[in-house]
């Protein structure tokens, strides 16, 4: 473990490209970052929750907001911070130990090579994904729609009546 870069707090930032499960007696998560590869003793869910808390929200709260707005009940994209375009795409159910979380802002493209799906990041690194191209395309499109919606929601503001009460049906 001496050669491994272990990080305890603040593991997910705007520089995070992906997180995956890591099978090791002490370490649970592998973090792909612009500054290299890091490891954490915390689970992916714990790291994602910490990232949400940093932006004054919660993992469950962000998922609930997306599910209410878009009716994505499974493999829901996690919008950690719409202002910073910090959004993670799950490749499978988050309850699945093999779920990979890919961060939207770093995706250059994704492609099939030798029958296997890869994501290529803007820094030219690649990661083999464990889902089909169809699933990842669907997840990418969902996350793009969510980012657009939530990033622009604050700019547009909710519709209000003359008394100032919100008329936006999204909050119903």
């Amino acid at each position: 473990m001496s050669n491994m870069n272990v990080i305890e707090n603040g593991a997910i930032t705007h520089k995070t490209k992906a997180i995956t499960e890591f099978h090791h007696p002490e370490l649970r998560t592998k973090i792909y970052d612009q500054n290299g590869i890091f490891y954490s003793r915390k689970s992916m869910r714990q790291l994602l929750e910490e990232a949400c808390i940093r932006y004054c929200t919660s993992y469950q709260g962000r998922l609930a907001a997306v599910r209410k707005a878009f009716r994505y009940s499974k493999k829901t994209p996690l919008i950690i911070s719409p202002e910073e375009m910090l959004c993670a795409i799950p490749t499978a159910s988050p309850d699945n130990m093999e779920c990979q979380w890919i961060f939207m802002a770093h995706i250059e493209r994704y492609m099939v090579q030798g029958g296997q799906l890869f994501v290529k990041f803007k820094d030219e690194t690649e990661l083999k994904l464990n889902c089909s191209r169809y699933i990842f395309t669907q997840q990418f499109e969902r996350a793009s729609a969510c980012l657009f919606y939530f990033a622009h929601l604050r700019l547009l503001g909710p519709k209000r009546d003359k008394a100032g009460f919100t008329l936006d049906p999204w909050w119903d």
Side-chain angles (χ1 to χ4, degrees):
M1 210 167 67
S2 60
N3 295 354
M4 298 178 158
N5 294 322
V6 179
I7 189 166
E8 295 303 326
N9 297 312
I12 294 176
T13 70
H14 64 280
K15 293 184 177 188
T16 306
K17 299 184 293 185
I19 59 173
T20 63
E21 186 78 17
F22 188 64
H23 305 283
H24 184 275
E26 294 179 39
L27 304 172
R28 298 177 68 187
T29 305
K30 187 173 187 178
I31 303 156
Y32 298 84
D33 189 273
Q34 286 178 328
N35 296 324
I37 295 178
F38 301 92
Y39 300 88
S40 177
R41 290 178 178 85
K42 297 177 182 177
S43 69
M44 290 187 287
R45 178 80 49 98
Q46 288 172 314
L47 294 174
L48 291 167
E49 179 69 43
E50 285 178 1
C52 289
I53 295 290
R54 230 176 288 119
Y55 291 95
C56 299
T57 188
S58 70
Y59 176 87
Q60 288 301 328
R62 288 294 190 190
L63 292 182
V66 170
R67 288 175 178 160
K68 175 119 179 151
F70 290 93
R71 309 286 192 254
Y72 299 153
S73 61
K74 300 190 188 262
K75 294 183 274 192
T76 307
L78 181 64
I79 310 297
I80 298 168
S81 171
E83 297 84 7
E84 292 191 23
M85 303 292 282
L86 192 52
C87 173
I89 304 170
T91 59
S93 166
D95 296 328
N96 181 335
M97 297 280 287
E98 300 302 316
C99 178
Q100 299 167 300
W101 288 88
I102 311 302
F103 288 76
M104 285 282 293
H106 298 282
I107 298 172
E108 176 71 30
R109 62 187 172 104
Y110 48 98
M111 65 275 179
V112 176
Q113 294 175 344
Q116 183 61 53
L117 183 63
F118 288 84
V119 63
K120 185 172 188 173
F121 297 110
K122 292 177 182 175
D123 66 1
E124 300 296 316
T125 59
E126 294 180 2
L127 178 65
K128 184 167 105 172
L129 300 179
N130 59 1
C131 65
S132 69
R133 182 182 182 98
Y134 172 80
I135 292 292
F136 195 74
T137 298
Q138 182 182 44
Q139 290 299 93
F140 186 87
E141 289 171 357
R142 284 177 163 195
S144 297
C146 291
L147 275 174
F148 181 81
Y149 178 80
F150 287 105
H152 288 87
L153 187 63
R154 290 192 179 173
L155 294 174
L156 300 174
K159 295 177 187 169
R160 298 188 183 276
D161 65 14
K162 290 180 184 180
F165 292 104
T166 300
L167 297 174
D168 194 339
W170 183 84
W171 299 106
D172 292 340

